[in-house]
Amino acid sequence: MIRSLILLAITGSAAPALAQFYADPAYADLAEVDRAVVAFTGAAQGSPGGAAMPVDRRLRLAPCPAPLALGWYGARQDSVEVRCPVGRGWKLYVPLNGGGADLAAAPPVIARGDAVTISVSGAGFAVSQPGEALEAGPAGAWIKVRAAGHTATGATTPVLRAQVLRPGLVGMDLP
């Protein structure tokens, strides 16, 4: 039993080093993006004014050879734009928790379970799909939504984060 505990202690303390050793250098370090957002906002992840959640670890972004550029996104400063400023770098938006005092005091215009239209737009395109609100929120807030229907394999669709634009409409802009 003591040998098992020693092995567990050695393995547990080596986990961060092993994770770093096995990190794929072909992709950007998303934990670094999370740390940059915390430094930019001055608030910890999950706390008021900080990132609502960590950056999605399924993202596969090219490594950025320059320091990340961060700035406020949205009139209410409820998101942080993080971008790689080199060449055709990448850009992503990190929603903040709370979105400010004025947003917290606003009455919700979408309730949990409401049918919504999910609108996604970018340079030269716009698509929309019916969905369901998984959280309540006032105009301007970022809430969880799920597109209606199922995927081709029969599994349920993934949960997305979209901004409440008005009653019944949520959306997100892509770079």
Side-chain angles (χ1 to χ4, degrees):
M1 179 162 162
I2 292 176
R3 186 188 320 210
S4 297
L5 290 175
I6 292 172
L7 182 59
L8 182 61
I10 292 171
T11 306
S13 64
L18 288 174
Q20 191 171 16
F21 177 75
Y22 287 112
D24 191 343
Y27 300 114
D29 180 8
L30 299 176
E32 178 185 345
V33 174
D34 288 334
R35 289 188 298 272
V37 171
V38 168
F40 179 79
T41 62
Q45 206 171 73
S47 66
M53 63 181 59
V55 173
D56 189 341
R57 296 305 192 243
R58 295 173 291 182
L59 290 173
R60 298 294 179 240
L61 305 172
C64 189
L68 297 175
L70 287 89
W72 295 111
Y73 182 76
R76 296 185 180 185
Q77 296 184 348
D78 57 0
S79 294
V80 173
E81 178 185 271
V82 181
R83 65 185 176 86
C84 177
V86 177
R88 293 185 50 154
W90 44 264
K91 184 186 310 183
L92 60 93
Y93 301 91
V94 178
L96 300 180
N97 194 20
D102 60 337
L103 204 54
V109 297
I110 291 181
R112 183 175 192 254
D114 280 357
V116 296
T117 299
I118 303 168
S119 173
V120 179
S121 60
F125 77 93
V127 294
S128 62
Q129 178 174 355
E132 176 187 3
L134 301 177
E135 297 177 325
W142 286 81
I143 63 170
K144 292 179 184 177
V145 295
R146 176 174 286 145
H150 298 280
T151 62
T153 61
T156 58
T157 56
V159 173
L160 306 170
R161 289 192 60 81
Q163 188 172 29
V164 177
L165 302 175
R166 64 174 190 258
L169 180 64
V170 298
M172 61 187 84
D173 294 327
L174 299 177

